Amino acid sequence: VPLTGYYKARRDQAVRFTSYTDVSGYEIYPIGAPTDYDVTEANALTETYLRTKVYVEGASANNRPMLMLPQTFSWGSVNLPSNAPRYATPQELRNMCYSGLAAGVRGLLAFE
């Protein structure tokens, strides 16, 4: 099960999931997310930080590091319904990365 900021139920199980691995990574998708997502342009930076903090604290409770996977792709590229399928701007990617680092992630992984 991927760790993701998208599903509240998965965020609520952060401690359980991080206890199974040596290192965990989670995905945060504030850019053009599906229509039922509660991250908006106005609250994306705050939500990215808060959701990252949940996973960092969950991993820390198990004495494990947490990695962050910032969104580097467009939701439209994976055929999911989206408000505005597009790639992250340089400013959005910077905000995702720095909010993750501020929340305590031990590394960032980006993929296309």
Side-chain angles (χ1 to χ4, degrees):
V1 176
L3 299 176
T4 176
Y6 182 83
Y7 297 108
K8 183 179 181 333
R10 291 201 183 143
R11 292 193 310 266
D12 291 345
Q13 297 175 343
V15 173
R16 188 184 96 196
F17 286 132
T18 57
S19 69
Y20 298 134
T21 62
D22 292 328
V23 176
S24 296
Y26 93 100
E27 302 169 331
I28 185 69
Y29 301 125
I31 310 303
T35 55
D36 63 346
Y37 197 35
D38 60 355
V39 171
T40 66
E41 187 176 329
N43 72 2
L45 181 58
T46 300
E47 286 296 321
T48 299
Y49 172 78
L50 293 174
R51 292 164 189 226
T52 302
K53 193 75 171 156
V54 166
Y55 281 121
V56 168
E57 289 172 352
S60 181
N62 289 304
N63 198 27
R64 305 281 200 272
M66 177 58 64
L67 303 176
M68 180 180 169
L69 293 83
Q71 180 183 342
T72 57
F73 66 90
S74 167
W75 274 108
S77 67
V78 290
N79 299 317
L80 295 173
S82 172
N83 293 334
R86 63 181 177 81
Y87 290 91
T89 65
Q91 294 84 3
E92 289 165 332
L93 187 56
R94 179 181 182 274
N95 286 343
M96 283 186 273
C97 292
Y98 278 100
S99 65
L101 293 171
V105 297
R106 299 297 182 168
L108 301 165
L109 297 174
F111 57 92
E112 177 78 33

